[in-house]
Amino acid sequence: MSARYEELKGLKNLGQKYAYTDREVMLYAYGIGLGADPMDENELAFVNEGTFTPRPLKVVPTFASVAAWGSGPGEMNLNRVMVVDGERDITFHQPLPVAANITADSSVLEVYDKGKDKGVVISHQTVLKNEKGEKLATLVASRFARGDGGFGGPNLTQPDPHKIPSRSPDRTIDIVTRPDQALVYRLCGDRNPLHSDPEFAKKAGFPRPILHGMCTYGITCRGVLQTYADYDASAFRQHVARFSSPVYPGETVTMDLWKDGNVISFEAKVKSRGVTVIKNGKTVLG
């Protein structure tokens, strides 16, 4: 077994401490576009706590993806310019509180070496827990390091993704992103200059900064919230998406959704460029 494979597979970081308040909760919701209509009470519930008629602030389920921003199994020593998000799978064990002190336990699950010049996919898990040690959410992420393959890892096959139904979508919705959306979303934690620095983006092979993949992921959660979840954040049990192409801030994201019992399948595209940006999406409601 290669030493590099063993090094990556053995990464683990337990008991990482984080805290967040309603400020971070509202910023995340605004960062994925909620609240664009200041008169929409359904969306305001995620970005405003109410004054004359108090109401509890709601937490977008995928806020879990930034609640412990910076947590992870350890330094992977990858070529940062060539790293992109591959997939995200969050299981929600209980609704996230509006403010909390939490811990994060992170470990690498598997390493898929695709070969020289083909990159490597690293799958890792982070479990968020409250102060009582109860699980809040389990996040499984895969990152595709395009410049780091070929170190002799085992020949493993990644699990098959969720299959989208072959019938026509049950619903289709358009979600508009703002030209400055990446500049807002980065304040949730992800300061990767790929999303804010035109020069950096060009060196990475893009004509201009792209929207964070995890912002697009949050947008798909928003799409399910407004269609099949009736804006009930506590209904989410799982939210999975595979990233296939970037969104540029200002573009319109079109979501196709299929409902089969408590499982919502979805894909997302940018029609103006004829590209699919999210594949094999799945939300489990309960």
Side-chain angles (χ1 to χ4, degrees):
M1 198 64 65
S2 87
R4 178 65 170 143
Y5 172 81
E6 295 290 354
E7 173 194 354
L8 289 169
K9 187 73 185 298
L11 289 175
K12 183 179 294 186
N13 193 358
L14 307 180
Q16 303 162 84
K17 296 184 182 300
Y18 292 86
Y20 66 85
T21 68
D22 61 353
R23 180 184 184 279
E24 287 75 32
V25 165
M26 289 185 282
L27 178 61
Y28 176 81
Y30 182 65
I32 63 170
L34 288 166
D37 179 354
M39 298 301 290
D40 186 331
E41 293 289 340
N42 287 317
E43 294 196 359
L44 279 175
F46 293 90
V47 295
N48 182 281
E49 64 276 17
T51 303
F52 286 110
T53 304
R55 62 165 176 258
L57 187 68
K58 293 183 178 182
V59 183
V60 179
T62 50
F63 172 73
S65 63
V66 300
W69 178 257
S71 63
E75 178 55 55
M76 297 183 183
N77 296 310
L78 303 172
N79 181 348
R80 185 183 180 193
V81 176
M82 302 293 284
V83 175
V84 295
D85 264 319
E87 186 174 354
R88 197 66 94 251
D89 179 348
I90 303 181
T91 297
F92 307 98
H93 304 292
Q94 56 180 292
L96 294 171
V98 173
N101 293 305
I102 60 176
T103 59
D105 295 338
S106 302
S107 58
V108 169
L109 296 175
E110 194 51 85
V111 179
Y112 303 93
D113 184 1
K114 294 179 173 295
K116 187 172 176 59
D117 301 323
K118 295 182 179 179
V120 60
V121 175
I122 303 166
S123 174
H124 57 93
Q125 172 181 281
T126 297
V127 179
L128 305 182
K129 299 178 182 178
N130 62 20
E131 290 185 286
K132 297 178 181 179
E134 300 168 333
K135 290 182 180 181
L136 294 171
T138 297
L139 294 70
V140 176
S142 70
R143 61 181 69 179
F144 179 33
R146 295 174 291 166
D148 289 274
F151 52 76
N155 185 19
L156 301 173
T157 302
Q158 291 178 256
D160 291 332
H162 172 66
K163 287 190 68 172
I164 298 298
S166 57
R167 68 181 187 273
S168 297
D170 298 323
R171 294 191 68 170
T172 297
I173 59 171
D174 289 331
I175 298 177
V176 178
T177 65
R178 299 187 307 273
D180 66 343
Q181 193 145 348
L183 298 178
V184 175
Y185 185 84
R186 75 190 297 262
L187 301 180
C188 296
D190 189 346
R191 295 289 193 86
N192 186 337
L194 177 62
H195 310 293
S196 60
D197 186 329
E199 183 181 11
F200 189 96
K202 287 179 181 178
K203 287 185 180 297
F206 299 99
R208 57 192 176 97
I210 62 175
L211 192 63
H212 304 69
M214 289 307 296
C215 183
T216 306
Y217 178 75
I219 287 171
T220 63
C221 176
R222 175 185 163 196
V224 177
L225 266 174
Q226 74 184 60
T227 53
Y228 292 113
D230 195 27
Y231 289 95
D232 180 5
S234 68
F236 281 66
R237 297 293 177 266
Q238 186 183 24
H239 191 70
V240 185
R242 179 169 287 198
F243 307 104
S244 58
S245 189
V247 173
Y248 289 96
E251 292 184 321
T252 296
V253 175
T254 299
M255 278 187 74
D256 292 330
L257 303 102
W258 296 260
K259 186 178 188 301
D260 294 286
N262 65 338
V263 175
I264 311 301
S265 302
F266 61 87
E267 289 194 336
K269 66 191 74 169
V270 173
K271 287 183 177 179
S272 62
R273 288 189 290 120
V275 296
T276 298
V277 297
I278 294 288
K279 292 182 177 180
N280 309 109
K282 179 180 75 170
T283 300
V284 179
L285 302 175

